[in-house]
């Protein structure tokens, strides 16, 4: 795993640091002996998870055999001021910070949740992929499901098996049979001293303090209680009592011998999952983003989206920054997989370029991780005011203006992206666009069912591991290459065909966080003017696929015969080998299907810009002049 590599490069973090991928919220459960101010410590610990996102927050506290539940939308501090969370009495309880993926951020969707009655309480993080059908099953069997939040189903699942077994341990263990997806949850009963937690694909760590124990989504929220921690593996569960944390295997309930270890990780390192910067953490979360977003796409009722696409006479896409670059790749997918043109435009140019050509049966895809980019909201308002077409948002921030106002929206399910330069959100957008193009292609007959299943299978089964392999294989090469580019202030990044948008994204990353001029453009266009800049050692990056390298070597030659320096990103290929002078100039990605090539090619470019930025003494998470979301024109 890459983190071992980084410890030799960046910090000497102990190997027990277990990197979890995406989690979309943060849970904290504490059981204490003698405390009666459980709200105070739960809020203090939850505040340490704010970097994971904060649409809403809640606390369930057990006091004198009754569970009190207070929750609302807003940050920890705002809701604490509103509801007095830290004043809640009790000796045990669960808190949850929610980053919405399913269901908008509302009071009723906030966590924790009750089960059918108010005797059982709990909260989750992650995604329940069978949310739609399991919610229906619970309601049909008489469960009182109050919200649209998938986390509530975890509590009802435990409730269901508690009714059958009368045993909380068994109920928690058996509940995981009903729940599909990547999640962890904590749950307790008013009449039981202990709290239980389960790890099924999302992070969970426990701590043994002084007369109190804690289970949480992430280490930062454990540290205020103790540094004596136990890391869990998937398929494990734990029972918290005031003085012990016992770990069990979910499959057979067998107790496992897990002793707590003192961690030396400080809280700031822990917030970044042990990585030096959020950007590096988020690059490494990309394999899990693929799993999560494919789980959401395949678990959702995507008919609604596909009908919008199918009924449209013309498809447009408007986006900005990295989201636009993802849209460019999307256009190639729509052409190739659906045989349908997807007309792309940068948000700010859309009205001038297409405002008068839009018709009422057109569809506008609006791709925006924040859902608040003003350039995109301008397009949304234009389409609505002119009543020329429908809008389909592809958005990460649930509860954003785009989410609420588009005719429909697709959640990007990436979790909270902290770093200003987009990485995992760009990756999620390319996966969603490939998925939509494939599903549309199947519906309009461009793809037969078998081919469509093959592509969807590649996205959900192969891409996560290939993305991880790409990270592991290219990180050190990208780091070494970055050190050879320290003096470079000007370069090009060229793509062809499916890597057109990828090259633009690689160039944008270098511009955003290295403060260099790097132009992303089409490689066949380079000879029509920009080639004049090439002199000895002038660097030009070529982003290639196995399908187009025969063409791209012509463009590479145009640079090499003028003694320019060519840097190649792509699979190991004989056609390209003669054009690589040394190992650092060949960022080799794993062999993969042509459709996955462009998705993998972006990773070494993200890593190259990251290492170059750090080498230049820049904080890649907070580049000067930029902001995560621009709500201005
Ligand atoms: C810029 C960000 O302000 O907006 C980029 O710095 C981002 O990272 C662009 O790609 C578009 O943002 P959004 O939220 O509309 O995808």
């Amino acid at each position: 795993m890459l983190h071992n590599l980084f410890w030799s490069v960046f910090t000497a973090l102990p190997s027990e640091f277990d990197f979890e991928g995406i989690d979309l919220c943060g849970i904290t459960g504490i059981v204490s002996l003698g405390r009666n101010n459980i709200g105070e410590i739960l809020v203090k610990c939850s505040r340490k998870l704010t970097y994971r996102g904060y649409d809403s927050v809640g606390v369930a506290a057990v006091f004198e055999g009754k569970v009190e539940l207070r929750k609302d939308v807003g940050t920890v501090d705002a809701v604490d001021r509103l509801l007095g969370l830290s004043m809640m009495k009790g000796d045990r309880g669960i808190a949850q910070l929610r980053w919405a993926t399913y269901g908008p951020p509302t009071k009723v969707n906030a966590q924790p949740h009750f089960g059918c009655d108010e005797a059982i309480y709990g909260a989750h993080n992650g995604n329940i992929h069978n949310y739609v059908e399991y919610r229906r099953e619970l309601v049909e069997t008489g469960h009182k499901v109050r919200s649209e939040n998938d986390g509530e189903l975890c509590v009802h699942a435990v409730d269901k098996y508690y009714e059958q077994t009368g045993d909380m341990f068994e109920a928690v263990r058996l509940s995981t049979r009903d729940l599909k997806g990547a999640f962890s949850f904590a749950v307790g009963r008013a009449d039981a001293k202990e709290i239980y937690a389960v790890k099924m694909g999302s992070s969970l760590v426990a701590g043994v303090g002084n007369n109190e124990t804690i289970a949480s989504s992430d280490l930062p929220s454990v540290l205020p209680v103790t540094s004596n921690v136990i890391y869990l593996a998937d398929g494990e569960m734990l029972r918290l009592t005031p003085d012990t944390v016992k770990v069990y295997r979910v499959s057979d309930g067998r107790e496992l011998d897990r002793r707590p270890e003192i961690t030396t990780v400080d809280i700031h390192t822990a917030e970044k999952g042990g990585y030096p910067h959020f950007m590096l953490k988020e690059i490494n979360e990309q394999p899990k983003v693929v799993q999560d977003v494919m789980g959401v796409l395949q678990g959702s009722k995507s008919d609604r989206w596909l009908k919008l696409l199918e009924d449209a006479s013309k498809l447009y896409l408007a986006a900005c920054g990295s989201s636009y670059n993802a849209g460019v790749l999307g256009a190639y997918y729509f052409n190739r997989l659906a045989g349908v043109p997807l007309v792309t435009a940068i948000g700010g140019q859309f009205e001038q370029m297409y405002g008068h050509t839009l018709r009422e049966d057109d569809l506008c895809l609006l791709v925006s991780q924040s859902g608040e980019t003003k350039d995109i909201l301008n397009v949304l308002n234009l389409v609505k005011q002119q009543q020329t077409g429908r809008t389909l948002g592809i958005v990460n921030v649930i509860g954003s203006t785009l989410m609420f106002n588009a005719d429909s929206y697709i959640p990007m399910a990436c979790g909270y992206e902290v770093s200003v330069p987009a990485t995992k959100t760009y990756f999620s957008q390319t996966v969603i666009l490939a998925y939509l193009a494939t599903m549309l292609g199947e519906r309009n007959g461009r793809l037969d069912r078998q081919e469509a299943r093959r592509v969807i299978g590649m996205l959900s089964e192969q891409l996560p591991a290939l993305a991880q392999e790409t990270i592991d294989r290219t990180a050190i090469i990208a780091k070494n290459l970055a050190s050879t580019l320290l003096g470079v202030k000007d370069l090009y990044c060229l793509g062809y065909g499916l890597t057109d948008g990828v090259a633009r994204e690689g160039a944008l990353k270098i511009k955003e966080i290295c403060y260099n001029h790097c132009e992303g453009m089409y490689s066949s266009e380079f000879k029509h003017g920009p080639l004049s800049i090439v002199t000895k050692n002038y660097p030009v990056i070529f982003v290639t696929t196995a399908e187009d390298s025969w063409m791209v070597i012509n463009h590479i030659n145009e640079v090499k015969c003028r003694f320019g320096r060519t840097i190649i990103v792509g699979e190991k290929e004989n056609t390209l080998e003669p054009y690589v002078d040394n190992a650092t100039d060949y960022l080799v990605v794993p062999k993969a299907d042509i459709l996955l090539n462009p998705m993998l090619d972006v990773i070494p470019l993200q890593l190259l810009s990251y290492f170059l930025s750090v080498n230049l003494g820049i904080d890649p998470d907070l580049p000067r002049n930029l902001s995560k979301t621009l709500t201005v024109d």
Side-chain angles (χ1 to χ4, degrees), residues 317-333:
L317 180 145
C320 298
S322 297
S323 299
Y324 173 74
N325 297 333
V328 171
L329 175 52
Y332 286 88
Y333 282 137

PDB file of all heavy atoms in Angstrom, residues 317-333:
ATOM      1  N   LEU A 317     -23.756  19.706 -21.807  1.00  0.00           N
ATOM      2  CA  LEU A 317     -23.121  19.597 -20.491  1.00  0.00           C
ATOM      3  C   LEU A 317     -22.427  20.920 -20.195  1.00  0.00           C
ATOM      4  O   LEU A 317     -21.682  21.429 -21.026  1.00  0.00           O
ATOM      5  CB  LEU A 317     -22.095  18.460 -20.456  1.00  0.00           C
ATOM      6  CG  LEU A 317     -21.363  18.244 -19.135  1.00  0.00           C
ATOM      7  CD1 LEU A 317     -21.097  16.756 -18.896  1.00  0.00           C
ATOM      8  CD2 LEU A 317     -20.057  19.016 -19.039  1.00  0.00           C
ATOM      9  N   ALA A 318     -22.713  21.479 -19.033  1.00  0.00           N
ATOM     10  CA  ALA A 318     -22.043  22.720 -18.617  1.00  0.00           C
ATOM     11  C   ALA A 318     -21.355  22.444 -17.280  1.00  0.00           C
ATOM     12  O   ALA A 318     -21.923  21.811 -16.388  1.00  0.00           O
ATOM     13  CB  ALA A 318     -23.059  23.848 -18.461  1.00  0.00           C
ATOM     14  N   ALA A 319     -20.105  22.913 -17.190  1.00  0.00           N
ATOM     15  CA  ALA A 319     -19.332  22.702 -15.953  1.00  0.00           C
ATOM     16  C   ALA A 319     -18.143  23.651 -15.956  1.00  0.00           C
ATOM     17  O   ALA A 319     -17.846  24.281 -16.978  1.00  0.00           O
ATOM     18  CB  ALA A 319     -18.857  21.256 -15.863  1.00  0.00           C
ATOM     19  N   CYS A 320     -17.446  23.711 -14.827  1.00  0.00           N
ATOM     20  CA  CYS A 320     -16.276  24.594 -14.707  1.00  0.00           C
ATOM     21  C   CYS A 320     -15.094  23.798 -14.153  1.00  0.00           C
ATOM     22  O   CYS A 320     -15.281  22.763 -13.521  1.00  0.00           O
ATOM     23  CB  CYS A 320     -16.571  25.746 -13.756  1.00  0.00           C
ATOM     24  SG  CYS A 320     -17.914  26.793 -14.319  1.00  0.00           S
ATOM     25  N   GLY A 321     -13.900  24.296 -14.367  1.00  0.00           N
ATOM     26  CA  GLY A 321     -12.693  23.727 -13.760  1.00  0.00           C
ATOM     27  C   GLY A 321     -12.571  22.230 -14.024  1.00  0.00           C
ATOM     28  O   GLY A 321     -12.798  21.746 -15.136  1.00  0.00           O
ATOM     29  N   SER A 322     -12.249  21.520 -12.964  1.00  0.00           N
ATOM     30  CA  SER A 322     -12.049  20.071 -13.106  1.00  0.00           C
ATOM     31  C   SER A 322     -13.325  19.382 -13.550  1.00  0.00           C
ATOM     32  O   SER A 322     -13.296  18.387 -14.281  1.00  0.00           O
ATOM     33  CB  SER A 322     -11.581  19.479 -11.779  1.00  0.00           C
ATOM     34  OG  SER A 322     -10.336  20.036 -11.424  1.00  0.00           O
ATOM     35  N   SER A 323     -14.466  19.923 -13.121  1.00  0.00           N
ATOM     36  CA  SER A 323     -15.750  19.316 -13.511  1.00  0.00           C
ATOM     37  C   SER A 323     -15.942  19.412 -15.018  1.00  0.00           C
ATOM     38  O   SER A 323     -16.501  18.510 -15.642  1.00  0.00           O
ATOM     39  CB  SER A 323     -16.901  20.004 -12.768  1.00  0.00           C
ATOM     40  OG  SER A 323     -16.715  19.837 -11.373  1.00  0.00           O
ATOM     41  N   TYR A 324     -15.468  20.507 -15.613  1.00  0.00           N
ATOM     42  CA  TYR A 324     -15.557  20.636 -17.075  1.00  0.00           C
ATOM     43  C   TYR A 324     -14.652  19.597 -17.741  1.00  0.00           C
ATOM     44  O   TYR A 324     -15.048  18.933 -18.701  1.00  0.00           O
ATOM     45  CB  TYR A 324     -15.156  22.040 -17.522  1.00  0.00           C
ATOM     46  CG  TYR A 324     -15.074  22.165 -19.025  1.00  0.00           C
ATOM     47  CD1 TYR A 324     -16.229  22.209 -19.805  1.00  0.00           C
ATOM     48  CD2 TYR A 324     -13.838  22.149 -19.666  1.00  0.00           C
ATOM     49  CE1 TYR A 324     -16.163  22.269 -21.188  1.00  0.00           C
ATOM     50  CE2 TYR A 324     -13.760  22.205 -21.055  1.00  0.00           C
ATOM     51  CZ  TYR A 324     -14.925  22.264 -21.813  1.00  0.00           C
ATOM     52  OH  TYR A 324     -14.851  22.306 -23.182  1.00  0.00           O
ATOM     53  N   ASN A 325     -13.454  19.429 -17.205  1.00  0.00           N
ATOM     54  CA  ASN A 325     -12.531  18.453 -17.807  1.00  0.00           C
ATOM     55  C   ASN A 325     -13.112  17.042 -17.745  1.00  0.00           C
ATOM     56  O   ASN A 325     -12.957  16.251 -18.675  1.00  0.00           O
ATOM     57  CB  ASN A 325     -11.176  18.513 -17.095  1.00  0.00           C
ATOM     58  CG  ASN A 325     -10.506  19.870 -17.276  1.00  0.00           C
ATOM     59  OD1 ASN A 325     -10.751  20.576 -18.268  1.00  0.00           O
ATOM     60  ND2 ASN A 325      -9.698  20.279 -16.304  1.00  0.00           N
ATOM     61  N   ALA A 326     -13.811  16.744 -16.668  1.00  0.00           N
ATOM     62  CA  ALA A 326     -14.497  15.447 -16.584  1.00  0.00           C
ATOM     63  C   ALA A 326     -15.589  15.368 -17.647  1.00  0.00           C
ATOM     64  O   ALA A 326     -15.786  14.333 -18.284  1.00  0.00           O
ATOM     65  CB  ALA A 326     -15.107  15.267 -15.192  1.00  0.00           C
ATOM     66  N   GLY A 327     -16.258  16.498 -17.879  1.00  0.00           N
ATOM     67  CA  GLY A 327     -17.310  16.549 -18.889  1.00  0.00           C
ATOM     68  C   GLY A 327     -16.780  16.313 -20.285  1.00  0.00           C
ATOM     69  O   GLY A 327     -17.438  15.664 -21.107  1.00  0.00           O
ATOM     70  N   VAL A 328     -15.553  16.783 -20.545  1.00  0.00           N
ATOM     71  CA  VAL A 328     -14.945  16.555 -21.869  1.00  0.00           C
ATOM     72  C   VAL A 328     -14.756  15.051 -22.085  1.00  0.00           C
ATOM     73  O   VAL A 328     -15.119  14.501 -23.124  1.00  0.00           O
ATOM     74  CB  VAL A 328     -13.604  17.311 -21.985  1.00  0.00           C
ATOM     75  CG1 VAL A 328     -12.847  16.916 -23.263  1.00  0.00           C
ATOM     76  CG2 VAL A 328     -13.850  18.820 -21.964  1.00  0.00           C
ATOM     77  N   LEU A 329     -14.237  14.366 -21.059  1.00  0.00           N
ATOM     78  CA  LEU A 329     -14.084  12.904 -21.182  1.00  0.00           C
ATOM     79  C   LEU A 329     -15.468  12.276 -21.342  1.00  0.00           C
ATOM     80  O   LEU A 329     -15.658  11.375 -22.162  1.00  0.00           O
ATOM     81  CB  LEU A 329     -13.363  12.337 -19.959  1.00  0.00           C
ATOM     82  CG  LEU A 329     -13.242  10.815 -19.875  1.00  0.00           C
ATOM     83  CD1 LEU A 329     -12.665  10.197 -21.145  1.00  0.00           C
ATOM     84  CD2 LEU A 329     -12.410  10.411 -18.653  1.00  0.00           C
ATOM     85  N   GLY A 330     -16.435  12.812 -20.642  1.00  0.00           N
ATOM     86  CA  GLY A 330     -17.807  12.298 -20.751  1.00  0.00           C
ATOM     87  C   GLY A 330     -18.328  12.367 -22.177  1.00  0.00           C
ATOM     88  O   GLY A 330     -19.000  11.447 -22.656  1.00  0.00           O
ATOM     89  N   ALA A 331     -17.983  13.437 -22.883  1.00  0.00           N
ATOM     90  CA  ALA A 331     -18.463  13.589 -24.272  1.00  0.00           C
ATOM     91  C   ALA A 331     -17.929  12.465 -25.154  1.00  0.00           C
ATOM     92  O   ALA A 331     -18.651  11.930 -26.015  1.00  0.00           O
ATOM     93  CB  ALA A 331     -18.029  14.946 -24.808  1.00  0.00           C
ATOM     94  N   TYR A 332     -16.670  12.070 -24.893  1.00  0.00           N
ATOM     95  CA  TYR A 332     -16.100  10.961 -25.694  1.00  0.00           C
ATOM     96  C   TYR A 332     -16.811   9.663 -25.352  1.00  0.00           C
ATOM     97  O   TYR A 332     -17.076   8.826 -26.222  1.00  0.00           O
ATOM     98  CB  TYR A 332     -14.592  10.837 -25.430  1.00  0.00           C
ATOM     99  CG  TYR A 332     -13.788  11.936 -26.077  1.00  0.00           C
ATOM    100  CD1 TYR A 332     -13.554  13.141 -25.417  1.00  0.00           C
ATOM    101  CD2 TYR A 332     -13.300  11.798 -27.369  1.00  0.00           C
ATOM    102  CE1 TYR A 332     -12.838  14.164 -26.011  1.00  0.00           C
ATOM    103  CE2 TYR A 332     -12.572  12.825 -27.983  1.00  0.00           C
ATOM    104  CZ  TYR A 332     -12.353  14.004 -27.291  1.00  0.00           C
ATOM    105  OH  TYR A 332     -11.654  15.022 -27.895  1.00  0.00           O
ATOM    106  N   TYR A 333     -17.171   9.491 -24.060  1.00  0.00           N
ATOM    107  CA  TYR A 333     -17.896   8.270 -23.658  1.00  0.00           C
ATOM    108  C   TYR A 333     -19.275   8.245 -24.314  1.00  0.00           C
ATOM    109  O   TYR A 333     -19.736   7.223 -24.805  1.00  0.00           O
ATOM    110  CB  TYR A 333     -18.041   8.205 -22.143  1.00  0.00           C
ATOM    111  CG  TYR A 333     -16.803   7.760 -21.397  1.00  0.00           C
ATOM    112  CD1 TYR A 333     -16.392   8.395 -20.227  1.00  0.00           C
ATOM    113  CD2 TYR A 333     -16.020   6.701 -21.864  1.00  0.00           C
ATOM    114  CE1 TYR A 333     -15.256   7.995 -19.536  1.00  0.00           C
ATOM    115  CE2 TYR A 333     -14.875   6.294 -21.185  1.00  0.00           C
ATOM    116  CZ  TYR A 333     -14.499   6.951 -20.017  1.00  0.00           C
ATOM    117  OH  TYR A 333     -13.372   6.563 -19.346  1.00  0.00           O
TER     118      TYR A 333
END
